[in-house]
Amino acid sequence: MRVSGGPMEMKSSGAAALLCPLLGACLWSAVVGYKPVIVVHGLFDSSEDFKNLQRFINESYPGTNVTVIDLFDRSSSLQPMWKQVEGFKAAIYPIMQNAADGVHLICYSQGGLVCRGILSTLPDHNVHSFISLSAPQAGQYGDTDYFRIFPQFVKSNLYHFCYTGVGQLISICNYWNDPHHRDLYLNSSDYLALINSERPNPNSTEWRRNFLKIQKLVLIGGPDDGVITPWQSSQFGFYDDNETVVEMQHQELYLRDVFGLKTLVARGDLILCTVPGVEHVLWHSNETVFHACIEKWLM
């Protein structure tokens, strides 16, 4: 004989009340699943630097397969950009092929430009969200702490080094964009000027079509970065010849829609996320940045 409302029934009901939501969440995760997340590091980084980001992702989306590609670490990240594109592409493509519902890309600093090259040249990629985390998408110009490692990297004469055959063997020269020597950039850049379609490129139509297969482009940056110069380059803004920053929507590459930025805006698929107070080396380990700018785009 059971006494309705007795202590045992209350205990069972309470346990059931707690258990049901947990089971429901587990079942939902098992049924829906989350897209794999691929992380590409930046200049002088390695996969070891992204443990916090991996933790943030798995706390928000338990069971997510997060892969930080372990290639071109530390000083090897200075190798030419096209070489890095091909290496990272070879490592990423099998993950894409095994992800029927697509993948997300989080690409930090120089890695954001590597990912641009991958997305432009890979016709059957299945990237849903491309999250560019403080990457010099419009180029780099100016003094940063990184240059102190190499005495020749000084703003006043760096263009002499970069716009030579030797310079193109150094990754940063592949996207060095001196606004006072625009002609040298356009004629000599073997990477950024090509993927930005800022100079004639027979592959530009195909590359644009490939790039626009992404579902979302998230551009993250902030005024206290200290390395990306100008910081607005992380959102496709850049200097004119007076070193006045021209925002993305007034840049020729946007107005002409040469590789799809204007199209992404028209689709509602380009997101800008600006966070003050974040130094460049802390973007990927800052939990506020993750929740404000990254988390919702990994569904």
Side-chain angles (χ1 to χ4, degrees), residues 148-224:
R148 295 175 189 170
I149 300 173
F150 298 93
Q152 70 268 33
F153 283 171
V154 179
K155 183 173 73 171
S156 60
N157 64 17
L158 184 60
Y159 75 92
H160 289 298
F161 178 77
C162 282
Y163 299 132
T164 66
V166 174
Q168 291 303 313
L169 299 177
I170 304 296
S171 65
I172 193 169
C173 289
N174 301 160
Y175 52 89
W176 182 256
N177 186 358
D178 188 331
H180 305 293
H181 299 87
R182 181 75 175 166
D183 57 334
L184 288 175
Y185 163 74
L186 292 175
N187 292 325
S188 303
S189 172
D190 289 333
Y191 189 76
L192 185 61
L194 289 178
I195 63 172
N196 278 352
S197 292
E198 293 174 288
R199 80 185 213 206
N201 174 11
N203 300 308
S204 60
T205 299
E206 178 186 356
W207 288 7
R208 183 181 187 275
R209 181 169 58 248
N210 295 341
F211 183 72
L212 283 172
K213 290 181 180 179
I214 62 173
Q215 300 300 304
K216 299 290 179 185
L217 171 59
V218 183
L219 301 173
I220 304 169
D224 301 302

Side-chain angles (χ1 to χ4, degrees), residues 1 12-13 34 47-48 50 53 67 71 78 84 86 94 132 141 144 160 174 202 207 219 251 270 279 283:
M1 177 185 237
S12 294
S13 298
Y34 300 116
S47 58
E48 292 296 312
F50 292 82
L53 180 58
T67 304
L71 285 174
L78 287 167
Q84 294 193 48
E86 293 307 313
S132 173
Y141 176 74
T144 77
H160 289 298
N174 301 160
W207 288 7
L219 301 173
Q251 292 282 345
L270 192 153
E279 296 179 16
W283 284 102

Side-chain angles (χ1 to χ4, degrees), residues 24-125:
C26 291
L27 289 171
W28 173 258
S29 178
V31 171
V32 175
Y34 300 116
K35 295 177 178 64
V37 176
I38 303 168
V39 181
V40 175
H41 68 74
L43 191 64
F44 302 129
D45 297 319
S46 81
S47 58
E48 292 296 312
D49 300 322
F50 292 82
K51 291 179 179 178
N52 284 331
L53 180 58
Q54 289 180 280
R55 176 170 58 83
F56 299 155
I57 295 169
N58 279 298
E59 286 175 352
S60 294
Y61 304 112
T64 299
N65 180 10
V66 181
T67 304
V68 184
I69 305 299
D70 189 19
L71 285 174
F72 299 102
D73 293 354
R74 307 306 183 199
S75 61
S76 293
S77 64
L78 287 167
Q79 294 190 45
M81 292 294 285
W82 283 119
K83 182 177 181 179
Q84 294 193 48
V85 166
E86 293 307 313
F88 278 108
K89 187 193 299 185
I92 287 171
Y93 191 55
I95 302 173
M96 293 180 176
Q97 289 181 306
N98 289 322
D101 295 326
V103 302
H104 300 302
L105 274 183
I106 302 176
C107 308
Y108 168 65
S109 194
Q110 179 178 277
L113 289 176
V114 171
C115 289
R116 286 269 313 282
I118 293 170
L119 292 169
S120 297
T121 59
L122 191 57
D124 56 342
H125 75 75

Side-chain angles (χ1 to χ4, degrees), residues 254-265:
Y254 175 86
L255 295 171
R256 292 174 49 222
D257 202 23
V258 289
F259 62 89
L261 287 179
K262 196 172 184 179
T263 295
L264 287 168
V265 169

